[in-house]
Amino acid sequence: MNIGFIGLGIMGKPMARNLLRAGHRLSVYDYRQEPVQALCEDGATAACSAADAARNSEMVITMLPNSPHVREAVLGKDGVLQGAQQGTILADMSSIAPLEARAIAAACEARGVHMLDCPVSGGEPKAIEGTLSIMCGGEAEVFEQIRDVLLCMGSSAVRVGEIGSGNVAKLSNQIVVALNIAAVSEALTLAAKTGVDPQDVFEAIRGGLAGSTVLEAKAPMMLCHQFAPGFRMDLHIKDLKNVLDTAHAADVPLPLSAQVLEMMQAVKVDGGGTLDHSALALYYEKLAHVSLKGDGEVSGP
């Protein structure tokens, strides 16, 4: 399939690479030239704009940081709708506000472009492996047309409802992930402060009911202070802000999500916004005056 791919960041670049490996023909665009050049070396064609990436593409994928970026890439000057033909399918795989996804989709439909919101979960490691979890909202018939393409990037692609519902599922996912990271941070900080090796506690609890994908992925990062971003703190802050905006519009109180958002914001203020979201452990270390790294010193971002 001819695919336009817009947004080649931590997630988008490996996702695009997996599509190339699966035999799809890609026209790629990003404001940064380095990832564009890297993908061209793998067989992609460079586009000079989002409109150019969409031109002659049967499907367009956007993988961008937030709602305003998607709106600009799709509806703005030299955006997707300036180049896409009627019948083109747009899969926005960014994590954005559900109401914004519906508004952008309505503008697309008016131009004969069919949009699905298809955010992902799994971070950079699963993007590289091609084992992302993909949550989709939109028309069932359109979803079935691109399901096999999505499965080149993920181990699962599930349609959860109409347009916008993919991002509701992603926001729900981000609540569970954020609260799990906070719980892991609390547990390991308790162990360290009471003189019990947090590494031993991790080994002791990982096989029981406390075991989780989050525990397996994030506890080792916390214990060695390796916070290179698989998913940046500032992006999780963005997601939790969208969580609360969506929840407030629906009259749903989410007190734990609000609390973790403020904790992540505190880490960002200390300079940790570009670190992996597992760096939430630094918030607890600062409160308890202890380090999970085992050196007894509190380390900042």
Side-chain angles (χ1 to χ4, degrees), residues 146-163:
I146 65 165
R147 185 173 182 274
D148 288 345
V149 176
L150 297 176
L151 289 174
C152 296
M153 299 174 282
S155 57
S156 67
V158 178
R159 178 182 176 269
V160 293
E162 297 304 318
I163 188 72

Side-chain angles (χ1 to χ4, degrees), residues 203-223:
E203 297 293 344
I205 68 175
R206 63 193 299 198
L209 192 58
S212 69
T213 301
V214 169
L215 180 68
E216 290 297 318
K218 302 304 179 181
M221 299 176 73
M222 296 174 184
L223 293 170

Side-chain angles (χ1 to χ4, degrees), residues 153-210:
M153 299 174 282
S155 57
S156 67
V158 178
R159 178 182 176 269
V160 293
E162 297 304 318
I163 188 72
S165 60
N167 274 293
V168 171
K170 176 58 187 287
L171 295 181
S172 301
N173 178 88
Q174 295 303 79
I175 292 172
V176 174
V177 172
L179 270 58
N180 265 266
I181 291 174
V184 172
S185 299
E186 284 197 11
L188 297 182
T189 301
L190 173 65
K193 191 66 175 183
T194 55
V196 180
D197 189 336
Q199 177 70 47
D200 291 341
V201 170
F202 167 56
E203 297 293 344
I205 68 175
R206 63 193 299 198
L209 192 58

Side-chain angles (χ1 to χ4, degrees), residues 1-4 25 54 56-60 87-90 146:
M1 182 180 283
N2 293 321
I3 300 172
R25 298 171 295 278
N56 301 319
S57 293
E58 303 157 78
M59 176 182 178
V60 177
T88 301
I89 296 174
L90 169 63
I146 65 165

